[in-house]
Amino acid sequence: MGEWLHRRNQGWLSSWKVISWSNFAKSSSRSAHVALRLRLFGIMHSSPGCVYPESQDAKRKTGMESGKRKVILLNASNMESYPVYPYAFIQVPAVARLYDVEIICQDLLGVHLVDWEKLLHKLLSDHDPAMILITLRNTDSMVAADYDPESLNKSQRKAYFPIERTRKLIAAIREITDKKIAVGGFAFSLLADDLIRYLQPDFGVFGGPDGFFEHFDEIQTGAHSHVPNLLYFQDGDLVSNDRCFYPPYRGTEYTSSKVKERMSF
């Protein structure tokens, strides 16, 4: 499956690699251009109501315990030879703050597979999250030499398969907890239907996570048929809710704490 997706995605990603969400999100005109391109390709369509709250300080009222509005966001798709601080660690917490959901970010770069269970136990014990999120940024490196055995031997590197690492991460989580798992991210959104079937999380998030956090409580209770951009399985069948495009975030994504995290990464 990993090799099949790798071959299939070479053409897709070569066409789309010029799009950087972090750059395009800087202006509404650029974001509109991206949305137009996505709609032309049949990947996304806009629908009424896909907007932020009137106030950037608006927070969703909830009857749930505050501790149950906390989630862990994991990334297992970083490439060791070319590490990149995940933009999801900036964007997702910013959107979640609008709905009073706290995000605990953890990149697994440099953490060996044998140590994942220990780290996951600690995160769960320290934070008791309502749910676990995973961002999938890439499907491959888009560099042929990164998959050539001779090149890998010379450089003493391992082939880069972020989809497989993400699948192993989901399996590791399933071994120690029954908390729900949701996967999103740029790479996931390109092949959402295929990847949710292969990775088997509880939920998939196509595109922006705004609707996910706006309806965070409903998702946990199972009343999620109306949540935009959400994918899930129902009676063994894949359900893909209406997809919508949200405007750029109007507040400050790069808080002082996030700047410090970015600089120390």
Side-chain angles (χ1 to χ4, degrees):
M1 177 68 176
E3 293 180 359
W4 172 78
L5 284 172
H6 171 66
R7 291 195 300 270
R8 174 174 176 175
N9 291 341
Q10 285 297 323
W12 266 100
L13 295 180
S14 295
S15 301
W16 286 90
K17 64 182 179 181
V18 296
I19 297 180
S20 168
W21 288 113
S22 58
N23 291 331
F24 274 89
K26 291 179 181 178
S27 70
S28 58
S29 61
R30 284 182 173 181
S31 292
H33 176 66
V34 173
L36 175 61
R37 290 186 66 181
L38 290 173
R39 288 195 289 272
L40 287 174
F41 276 86
I43 297 176
M44 178 184 291
H45 64 82
S46 59
S47 60
C50 300
V51 296
Y52 284 128
E54 287 299 319
S55 168
Q56 286 290 313
D57 295 324
K59 293 184 178 180
R60 183 176 177 80
K61 294 181 180 180
T62 175
M64 300 183 66
E65 300 175 25
S66 59
K68 293 304 179 183
R69 295 183 64 78
K70 180 187 293 187
V71 299
I72 292 173
L73 174 59
L74 303 172
N75 177 42
S77 57
N78 231 321
M79 190 172 182
E80 291 189 6
S81 53
Y82 300 102
V84 175
Y85 185 78
Y87 177 58
F89 285 10
I90 301 293
Q91 180 199 43
V92 174
V95 174
R97 284 196 298 271
L98 297 176
Y99 303 100
D100 200 23
V101 178
E102 181 183 358
I103 306 293
I104 308 298
C105 300
Q106 178 67 58
D107 197 290
L108 298 180
L109 180 67
V111 181
H112 297 293
L113 288 173
V114 295
D115 297 322
W116 280 8
E117 182 178 348
K118 180 180 179 180
L119 176 60
L120 290 171
H121 272 298
K122 180 172 177 21
L123 289 170
L124 291 169
S125 175
D126 290 349
H127 303 290
D128 187 25
M131 193 179 297
I132 298 174
L133 312 183
I134 301 174
T135 178
L136 180 59
R137 180 178 181 270
N138 301 327
T139 58
D140 55 38
S141 70
M142 298 194 304
V143 178
D146 290 333
Y147 302 92
D148 176 62
E150 184 176 347
S151 299
L152 291 171
N153 288 334
K154 287 181 178 179
S155 61
Q156 296 184 336
R157 292 184 292 110
K158 295 181 179 179
Y160 174 62
F161 292 110
I163 293 175
E164 301 303 328
R165 282 178 59 84
T166 299
R167 194 182 192 206
K168 290 178 180 178
L169 175 58
I170 292 174
I173 295 170
R174 299 284 196 209
E175 286 290 325
I176 63 176
T177 183
D178 59 357
K179 292 182 182 296
K180 300 296 185 182
I181 301 171
V183 178
F186 182 63
F188 178 84
S189 297
L190 285 177
L191 290 165
D193 289 5
D194 288 329
L195 286 174
I196 193 172
R197 288 190 177 98
Y198 183 64
L199 298 173
Q200 290 291 304
D202 298 289
F203 302 105
V205 180
F206 177 97
D210 312 70
F212 181 87
F213 292 114
E214 180 182 2
H215 302 284
F216 186 71
D217 297 344
E218 293 97 311
I219 292 172
Q220 292 185 74
T221 60
H224 44 55
S225 61
H226 62 294
V227 179
N229 298 345
L230 192 70
L231 295 86
Y232 53 93
F233 293 98
Q234 184 171 294
D235 299 325
D237 296 323
L238 177 60
V239 178
S240 182
N241 288 355
D242 288 343
R243 294 175 176 175
C244 73
F245 174 75
Y246 290 90
Y249 185 79
R250 297 193 301 270
T252 301
E253 290 183 323
Y254 285 84
T255 61
S256 58
S257 62
K258 284 300 175 182
V259 171
K260 290 179 182 178
E261 285 182 22
R262 171 64 184 84
M263 297 304 292
S264 61
F265 184 75

